[in-house]
Amino acid sequence: MSELILKPKGTNDALPEESYRWQYVESVLRDAAADFGYREIRFPTFEYTELFVRGVGDTTDVVQKEMFTFTDRGGRSVTLRPEGTASAVRSYLENSLYGPGLPVKLFYIAPNFRGEQPQAGRYREFHQFGVEYLGSPCPAADAEVIGVYSDILERLSIKNIRLQINSIGCPKCRPVFHAALKAYFQSKKDRLCGSCLERMERNPLRILDCKSPVCGEIAADSPVGLDYLCDECKNHFEETKSMLDAMGIGYEINPKIVRGLDYYTRTVFEFVSTDLGAQSTVCGGGRYDGLIETLGGHPTPGLGFAAGLERMLLVMDAQGIPIPKPEGCRIFVASLGSAADKPVQKLVNDLRKLGVKAERDTMGRGLKAQMKYADRLGAAFSMVLGDNELEAGKASIKDMATGSTFECLLSAEDIKNAVT
Ligand code: HAM
């Protein structure tokens, strides 16, 4: 026998016994997105590398260390999508989605790829549900977007999640904050790691997401953006908070949230679970008022979030939230003798076409083994077709739970009415 080939590190299979859980969460997400007026966008799994370098930012860990980048056969550098926002904005611009007017409200459910060190809740291929709200500068949009995820948590009965918000300012006030950060880190530079020394020069904000414990300790006492906001940003943040208050959405202000991607401006937020380990952020997002322009569009504000499906399922698991299981086999049709083979095949096919989950044996089993198989499938009903039944044009159907039986004509319609 040849050696088995296993899945790549940091990837997961969703096995048949668990894929219904994904389908359930996805259907709740789709319903919520539709109720809030977001329309689905699907984009390619890979893009030209330049999109993420320019969109996500070349000082981020995602771009510097985590992208799966390769050269295609034509010699162009392409990258497996590490996040959805850059792709959504690229498509919005490429397809002039702004044409009919703003705002444009998009959602996606898509796999993403980051070459991170895998651990519980952190994978190299993971799935995000994301929304992007393009065109509005108003705090009402910030509150709406946060409200979408807040509502999703309710719909999924997920508890123990804290919403943390912050504002990281705009290009007007950010330079002052950066200068303060740089001055602070400059005074500690002997203890910073090599990457952070470089970050200090190019983008000191990125030191705040360094994974080294020493840098983390230093960053804990660094200046916070909220103290450096310009009046417009301050008002925007105040207004966003009072919108959330009006909606009854609880939040905490966490001045340390800066997010790991470069495009953010003003409002940033995270939904953090107390039931997950180190990877406790189930959803992250914020405003990116400069991104559309950076990617070649007219200056247009935007914002959004993405939530990891794996982390949502982990939290639901940890909280023992029941997920409705799909219905199994409705009726198993066993065959007795070779004459019944084709009639069984036809009957099962006819039942399926009528929407009845019908099964038969295709392994050449004897009757006893067929009934065992019916048990394994969890069939609600079973029937046996042999010479006698074929001749009589009827058969007895057995209710597998109670053991009781009843007669039924051998017509798919009649059987359907009897078992559903
Ligand atoms: P992000 O914070 O990089 O933001 O990712 C959002 C969420 O995706 C995280 O909170 C987490 O649930 C999940 N996630 C990220 N990396 C992994 C991983 N390696 N394994 C498992 N789950 C992961 C973004 O991606 C932004 N595009 C969000 C956004 C949309 N901002 C504005 N619009």
Side-chain angles (χ1 to χ4, degrees):
M1 275 206 289
S2 309
E3 201 182 323
L4 287 180
I5 299 166
L6 306 180
K7 63 185 163 55
K9 184 173 170 181
T11 63
N12 295 294
D13 298 309
L15 300 176
E17 297 83 72
E18 56 199 356
S19 55
Y20 76 94
R21 305 174 70 240
W22 285 79
Q23 288 163 6
Y24 170 75
V25 171
E26 285 168 14
S27 73
V28 171
L29 294 171
R30 283 179 187 283
D31 286 349
D35 290 345
F36 280 83
Y38 292 76
R39 294 191 304 153
E40 185 177 16
I41 184 162
R42 298 189 186 203
F43 29 57
T45 301
F46 62 93
E47 301 268 7
Y48 289 125
T49 302
E50 178 63 15
L51 175 68
F52 303 115
V53 173
R54 198 150 25 114
V56 173
D58 62 355
T59 60
T60 59
D61 271 5
V62 169
V63 168
Q64 284 190 345
K65 301 181 187 162
E66 296 168 0
M67 295 205 303
F68 286 99
T69 296
F70 53 98
T71 306
D72 71 9
R73 286 165 198 275
R76 280 198 71 163
S77 179
V78 293
T79 293
L80 296 184
R81 184 186 54 243
E83 62 101 48
T85 309
S87 290
V89 170
R90 195 261 316 132
S91 181
Y92 161 89
L93 291 172
E94 186 168 345
N95 299 293
S96 312
L97 297 187
Y98 44 81
L102 297 174
V104 171
K105 296 164 68 172
L106 307 170
F107 87 90
Y108 47 86
I109 298 177
N112 296 280
F113 306 85
R114 296 184 194 174
E116 298 189 85
Q117 209 39 49
Q119 63 181 84
R122 190 161 81 190
Y123 311 103
R124 292 188 174 174
E125 181 179 13
F126 59 97
H127 299 77
Q128 283 183 339
F129 165 76
V131 308
E132 309 296 348
Y133 192 127
L134 307 172
S136 171
C138 296
D142 302 54
E144 172 183 314
V145 162
I146 291 172
V148 174
Y149 197 65
S150 176
D151 182 64
I152 284 169
L153 291 173
E154 256 178 57
R155 291 184 190 221
L156 290 171
S157 312
I158 296 179
K159 305 202 169 47
N160 306 338
I161 302 272
R162 285 159 37 191
L163 165 62
Q164 306 191 330
I165 61 172
N166 187 24
S167 174
I168 57 170
C170 67
K172 203 171 109 190
C173 50
R174 185 88 59 81
V176 190
F177 173 43
H178 273 203
L181 273 179
K182 196 168 166 182
Y184 171 81
F185 287 119
Q186 191 88 41
S187 69
K188 317 268 175 199
K189 71 173 187 215
D190 300 346
R191 294 171 60 215
L192 290 177
C193 73
S195 305
C196 281
L197 287 176
E198 200 192 311
R199 288 173 177 134
M200 191 171 69
E201 294 309 321
R202 298 194 55 207
N203 186 354
L205 205 61
R206 292 278 71 89
I207 299 180
L208 304 185
D209 27 68
C210 179
K211 290 174 184 117
S212 133
V214 178
C215 298
E217 208 178 282
I218 297 171
D221 294 326
S222 64
V224 293
L226 282 181
D227 295 336
Y228 296 85
L229 295 185
C230 62
D231 285 345
E232 286 94 327
C233 287
K234 236 183 247 169
N235 289 340
H236 192 277
F237 193 48
E238 288 308 315
E239 208 32 49
T240 299
K241 287 190 291 182
S242 49
M243 282 279 178
L244 291 174
D245 292 338
M247 291 162 78
I249 296 175
Y251 56 84
E252 297 161 8
I253 292 166
N254 179 351
K256 289 292 177 190
I257 294 182
V258 292
R259 312 276 302 125
L261 312 166
D262 272 353
Y263 47 63
Y264 289 110
T265 52
R266 294 193 163 167
T267 315
V268 286
F269 60 89
E270 291 185 346
F271 286 84
V272 183
S273 162
T274 49
D275 291 314
L276 293 181
Q279 305 306 315
S280 57
T281 307
V282 284
C283 171
R287 199 165 255 293
Y288 44 78
D289 289 345
L291 179 61
I292 293 177
E293 194 179 1
T294 302
L295 292 178
H298 293 297
T300 311
L303 73 158
F305 70 74
L309 266 72
E310 286 83 358
R311 291 188 193 176
M312 288 164 71
L313 283 161
L314 281 173
V315 177
M316 291 177 76
D317 231 6
Q319 297 184 2
I321 296 169
I323 295 183
K325 276 199 173 165
E327 217 190 86
C329 172
R330 197 72 199 149
I331 182 162
F332 184 87
V333 187
S335 62
L336 185 61
S338 56
D341 193 37
K342 291 199 177 70
V344 166
Q345 182 76 13
K346 175 169 174 9
L347 182 58
V348 166
N349 194 50
D350 288 349
L351 283 167
R352 288 170 174 168
K353 287 201 282 188
L354 292 177
V356 180
K357 294 189 176 67
E359 286 291 345
R360 65 157 305 182
D361 169 63
T362 56
M363 303 291 287
R365 294 178 171 104
L367 187 59
K368 210 170 149 198
Q370 288 188 49
M371 297 320 291
K372 254 192 163 167
Y373 178 46
D375 271 340
R376 179 150 65 85
L377 290 173
F381 295 90
S382 70
M383 65 192 294
V384 182
L385 252 65
D387 294 346
N388 294 344
E389 286 77 12
L390 289 173
E391 205 175 307
K394 55 186 181 185
S396 84
I397 295 180
K398 181 175 170 187
D399 182 322
M400 301 287 273
T402 63
S404 65
T405 59
F406 57 92
E407 290 275 296
C408 186
L409 288 178
L410 283 187
S411 102
E413 279 288 354
D414 284 296
I415 297 172
K416 175 182 174 174
N417 292 335
V419 302
T420 53

